[in-house]
Amino acid sequence: MPFLCSICGEESTRICVRCTKDACNNHLCEKCLRCSDCCECEVTLSEQPPTARSVFPKHEPPPVEELPEPPEPEKLPPETLQPETLPPPEPAL
């Protein structure tokens, strides 16, 4: 049965050997098995293995790219434009 880490709220299945609070792997020392609140080991943060939170960056939406302006329609010289010829109207009966 998983519990929640008393420090960060992530799922945890182990407890601190000193205070018996629930602690996730990120907040439980591998040497003394104490939570980060109780641990007295001289381990700096850079010596600890990377966590999933530090390896995977936060999700950020991709930057919005502006679309280029559409090209203007081709303009034909007036002499190339011919009026549409329609057949003559039929005589009325």
Side-chain angles (χ1 to χ4, degrees):
M1 178 175 184
F3 295 96
L4 297 178
C5 176
S6 62
I7 298 170
C8 69
E10 286 189 16
E11 184 177 316
S12 65
T13 55
R14 297 167 45 182
I15 61 171
C16 172
V17 296
R18 186 174 192 189
C19 68
T20 67
K21 289 181 185 175
D22 296 312
C24 67
N25 290 336
N26 294 333
H27 293 107
L28 198 65
C29 178
E30 292 179 6
K31 288 183 178 181
C32 66
L33 299 177
R34 294 178 182 178
C35 69
S36 57
D37 292 340
C38 298
C39 178
E40 296 173 354
C41 295
E42 297 295 325
V43 179
T44 60
L45 293 176
S46 61
E47 293 178 19
Q48 293 179 352
T51 63
R53 289 185 176 197
S54 64
V55 174
F56 298 108
K58 289 183 178 178
H59 174 72
E60 294 181 12
V64 178
E65 294 181 23
E66 291 187 27
L67 297 176
E69 293 287 329
E72 289 189 28
E74 235 179 85
K75 293 183 179 177
L76 298 174
E79 60 270 0
T80 59
L81 297 175
Q82 299 293 327
E84 204 173 302
T85 55
L86 298 174
E90 292 182 22
L93 293 176

